[in-house]
Amino acid sequence: MTRTFKVVLAPASVLLLINCSYGQVKPVPKKVTHSGAVSSIARGKMVYTNICLACHMADGGGVPTLNPPLIKTTYVLGDKPTLIKIVLNGFKEDVEINGQTYSNNMTPHSDLKDRQIADVLTYVRKSFGNQASVITAAEVKKVRASNITNKK
Amino acid sequence: MNKKKLILLFLPMFALTGLIVFNACKNADPKTNGIANAGLTLPGGFSAVAIAEHLGNPRHMVITPENDIYVHLAGTKNGKGILVLHEDGDKVTVKSSFASFGGTGIAIKNGYLYASNNTEVYRYKLNDKEEVINPDQPERIVKGLLSHRMHEPKAIALDNDGNIYVNIGAYSNICSDYDHNKTGCPILDSAAGIWQFKADKPDQTYGDGIRYAGGLRNVVGLAWNQQDNQLFVMQHGRDALHDLFPNLYSVHQSAELPAECMFALKKGDNAGWPYVYYDWMQNKNMLGPEYGGDGKKGADPKFINPVAAYPGHYAPDGLLFYTGNQFPEKYKNGAFIAFHGSWNRAPEPQAGYCVVFQPFKNGMPYGKWEVFADGFAGPDKSPNGAEHRPCGLAQGPDGSLYISDDQRGTIYKITYKN
């Protein structure tokens, strides 16, 4: 197939060669490997499938411009209370990740039990290529207790 | 034999803006390999080429009789939101770029190019070759439209009586954040509808226009049908029937429902969002579960029915009535619909990612729709995995059909030969 084409790009006499061939396939998400917390992850996967998957997708990849990915982002890997609060309170701000802005609203999930939130966040932090520490029900409980002022 | 042409052309450039010369990808012998027709599958006699790639995120397009293609990018690229491609035989060049804003809507009418961002509509005067005369000084026609981080693009269409129609999408899935007591959705006065403004009056806003039709959750594909002088729109239907009402809707029903709907609008019509949705499997306008529906109760007949319905969540982003003479007779005056492809059919497989043809007769849908062009996504029909996602549609002066892909920035050209 002669589907190549010529591209000459200025400024700065930069010559870009762009080939129109296709065939790139998205990498398959890595399997979860970790020590301990196996049952938390297994339970968390069930919560994820029921609650989160519809927007964040089975592979945690999200949806371009709408629902942010959960793959190696600072939101997922970073500060635990911040992450827990997102689940409790939902999220209504634009998020920029790798130059792409995501703007869909996330509904609050404060109806989930502390254990369920701990499980699902542990699952997310140890899946999709993420390798972050577990989140415990006690940590969720603590954040929930201090979270009252943030509730609408 | 020579399956990969090498880059042949070195063009010295000193221009302020980059000039991109594409040697249009030639259509290969369909037998040679998997990327004939630029990876698309088409009905017999049709062929496709990718005339441009890596343009950014091209949304809607419009093509002039001189073969200039105005492409509106979702965002700006190098600070410009509109690209002007010029097609000369099998060679496509980026002629120029302008507009400080990205967006979706773009249209030409009566000597002006109209283009929108998420809150405004501008117009640019054209010369007799339909070239923009003064790209740095557009006239703002509409301003101050609501844009709340959801369903923001303001798709546009123009009629033959000096009016422009602007979609103002609902900034909510089903208004539940704003109508807690189910007393009536309060955002309908300024969103979730099509507003009509004068095409030539500067700086209009809500008070200057009229809500032409309401109860439309979000419209991206819309077009004026010249045959019966009427506005047609494609609505993006609501999400999450199962997530919100697991006792009323199965996972499968939630993937297939509600229908993505085509409406033929008249002034004052109400399509019923958020109170109703259309069930394409029962062929019935339904009362929404938030307002007392149970998956069986029908909607109040005061809400209009769609004129055609398609599977759930396909995301119709482009609508074009084909008026050319190149394609076979059955396509004449029928509708092409670009389905961007779903994200919310999970955990079922995602779907859409295709261009559909809807036959028409006497200005109304007639007979079953069919997939016209498929294969944009490649092996993975998912919002992240799709290689390409069809968005905008335009008709060239010779009757060719152009399709934009806002995932990888490809422009496809579809032609027909007996």
Side-chain angles (χ1 to χ4, degrees):
Chain A
M1 167 91 179
T2 56
R3 290 192 61 264
T4 48
F5 63 145
K6 305 159 205 165
V7 176
V8 180
L9 266 183
S13 7
V14 177
L15 178 64
L16 286 186
L17 311 182
I18 305 171
N19 189 317
C20 359
S21 50
Y22 296 87
Q24 288 181 335
V25 179
K26 192 175 57 166
V28 176
K30 281 180 190 165
K31 272 281 177 202
V32 177
T33 54
H34 58 88
S35 60
V38 176
S39 55
S40 178
I41 290 174
R43 290 192 305 266
K45 185 174 183 179
M46 287 173 65
V47 176
Y48 185 86
T49 302
N50 289 330
I51 309 282
C52 319
L53 183 149
C55 291
H56 290 290
M57 302 287 120
D59 63 0
V63 177
T65 75
L66 298 174
N67 310 324
L70 305 174
I71 302 170
K72 296 179 181 174
T73 71
T74 51
Y75 286 90
V76 170
L77 302 179
D79 183 52
K80 291 187 197 180
T82 304
L83 184 61
I84 293 165
K85 278 183 192 168
I86 290 174
V87 177
L88 290 171
N89 301 332
F91 205 76
K92 290 192 172 183
E93 294 164 31
D94 286 357
V95 178
E96 192 179 322
I97 297 169
N98 293 331
Q100 166 112 247
T101 302
Y102 299 86
S103 63
N104 233 4
N105 288 342
M106 175 170 154
T107 51
H109 293 284
S110 53
D111 52 327
L112 292 174
K113 296 182 173 69
D114 293 342
R115 162 59 60 197
Q116 289 177 300
I117 292 175
D119 289 343
V120 74
L121 291 179
T122 298
Y123 169 71
V124 166
R125 280 162 63 89
K126 289 187 175 296
S127 303
F128 321 133
N130 299 325
Q131 291 179 325
S133 58
V134 301
I135 288 181
T136 65
E139 287 172 304
V140 177
K141 187 179 180 184
K142 192 177 163 193
V143 173
R144 198 195 291 266
S146 67
N147 186 47
I148 295 161
T149 50
N150 290 338
K151 274 192 179 175
K152 284 186 181 176
Chain B
M1 304 293 281
N2 187 12
K3 287 193 176 177
K4 291 227 167 187
K5 281 184 184 172
L6 293 175
I7 304 301
L8 300 172
L9 186 64
F10 291 81
L11 188 64
M13 288 295 307
F14 303 99
L16 288 173
T17 56
L19 174 67
I20 303 175
V21 178
F22 297 100
N23 182 16
C25 298
K26 298 272 196 324
N27 183 31
D29 179 345
K31 293 189 289 286
T32 51
N33 59 37
I35 49 173
N37 289 318
L40 304 186
T41 53
L42 297 160
F46 288 92
S47 57
V49 292
I51 60 162
E53 295 191 316
H54 309 293
L55 292 182
N57 306 100
R59 300 279 290 175
H60 288 175
M61 306 174 284
V62 63
I63 306 177
T64 74
E66 308 283 333
N67 274 316
D68 282 342
I69 309 169
Y70 290 99
V71 181
H72 206 350
L73 303 179
T76 56
K77 196 176 184 187
N78 301 323
K80 308 294 183 189
I82 299 175
L83 298 179
V84 191
L85 309 187
H86 181 70
E87 192 183 1
D88 185 7
D90 61 357
K91 198 177 192 182
V92 175
T93 51
V94 177
K95 196 169 147 181
S96 62
S97 59
F98 63 98
S100 58
F101 56 89
T104 291
I106 193 159
I108 287 178
K109 192 75 184 181
N110 294 338
Y112 287 89
L113 176 77
Y114 293 80
S116 66
N117 58 33
N118 288 344
T119 59
E120 304 163 307
V121 182
Y122 288 87
R123 71 172 183 172
Y124 298 82
K125 189 153 179 55
L126 301 171
N127 65 20
D128 57 1
K129 290 180 176 172
E130 301 215 342
E131 295 165 324
V132 170
I133 294 168
N134 206 335
D136 297 326
Q137 291 180 315
E139 181 182 8
R140 187 166 65 183
I141 297 300
V142 183
K143 64 176 183 179
L145 304 181
L146 285 181
S147 177
H148 287 325
R149 301 179 44 250
M150 187 176 183
H151 303 148
E152 295 166 304
K154 303 294 184 281
I156 58 173
L158 290 104
D159 67 14
N160 301 311
D161 299 307
N163 299 304
I164 184 167
Y165 300 83
V166 185
N167 169 65
I168 306 175
Y171 40 92
S172 171
N173 172 34
I174 196 66
C175 208
S176 45
D177 287 353
Y178 303 94
D179 189 14
H180 297 288
N181 300 321
K182 308 302 172 203
T183 51
C185 178
I187 75 171
L188 291 164
D189 63 339
S190 50
I194 303 291
W195 264 254
Q196 183 197 57
F197 297 97
K198 294 291 174 201
D200 60 354
K201 192 177 157 192
D203 278 348
Q204 301 163 89
T205 189
Y206 283 101
D208 306 299
I210 59 165
R211 189 176 67 166
Y212 188 75
L216 290 156
R217 180 173 173 273
N218 187 36
V219 168
V220 187
L222 76 172
W224 193 262
N225 185 310
Q226 299 294 347
Q227 224 186 358
D228 56 5
N229 206 34
Q230 190 172 5
L231 182 66
F232 281 68
V233 303
M234 296 295 312
Q235 175 181 238
H236 285 229
R238 60 162 301 171
D239 298 328
L241 282 168
H242 170 75
D243 290 347
L244 297 171
F245 297 92
N247 297 331
L248 295 177
Y249 301 92
S250 69
V251 167
H252 178 66
Q253 284 174 313
S254 197
E256 294 292 350
L257 300 177
E260 304 287 52
C261 293
M262 175 187 284
F263 292 101
L265 296 180
K266 291 192 166 57
K267 188 174 170 179
D269 277 347
N270 187 339
W273 181 92
Y275 312 116
V276 312
Y277 70 89
Y278 194 77
D279 182 329
W280 66 270
M281 295 188 283
Q282 298 186 56
N283 288 317
K284 191 175 168 187
N285 222 10
M286 310 294 291
L287 180 61
E290 284 79 4
Y291 295 90
D294 57 2
K296 297 182 185 72
K297 287 180 197 160
D300 188 324
K302 74 179 180 184
F303 299 117
I304 61 167
N305 277 305
V307 293
Y310 308 87
H313 315 297
Y314 271 35
D317 275 4
L319 175 65
L320 175 94
F321 289 106
Y322 185 76
T323 57
N325 295 317
Q326 182 187 139
F327 290 4
E329 183 60 28
K330 81 169 209 182
Y331 293 97
K332 186 95 176 189
N333 296 315
F336 286 102
I337 305 161
F339 284 107
H340 201 221
S342 72
W343 62 268
N344 33 27
R345 291 168 73 97
E348 301 219 344
Q350 304 296 346
Y353 302 86
C354 59
V355 173
V356 153
F357 177 69
Q358 170 65 61
F360 264 59
K361 193 174 180 183
N362 300 324
M364 277 295 159
Y366 183 82
K368 176 120 177 74
W369 59 273
E370 54 198 62
V371 173
F372 175 76
D374 206 352
F376 295 91
D380 185 359
K381 278 192 179 181
S382 77
N384 273 311
E387 289 166 7
H388 307 272
R389 302 182 76 179
C391 178
L393 299 169
Q395 184 183 310
D398 69 350
S400 298
L401 177 69
Y402 294 72
I403 305 166
S404 72
D405 145 43
D406 68 350
Q407 184 100 321
R408 294 282 190 282
T410 303
I411 308 289
Y412 299 89
K413 178 182 182 180
I414 315 290
T415 53
Y416 179 79
K417 255 193 191 134
N418 259 325

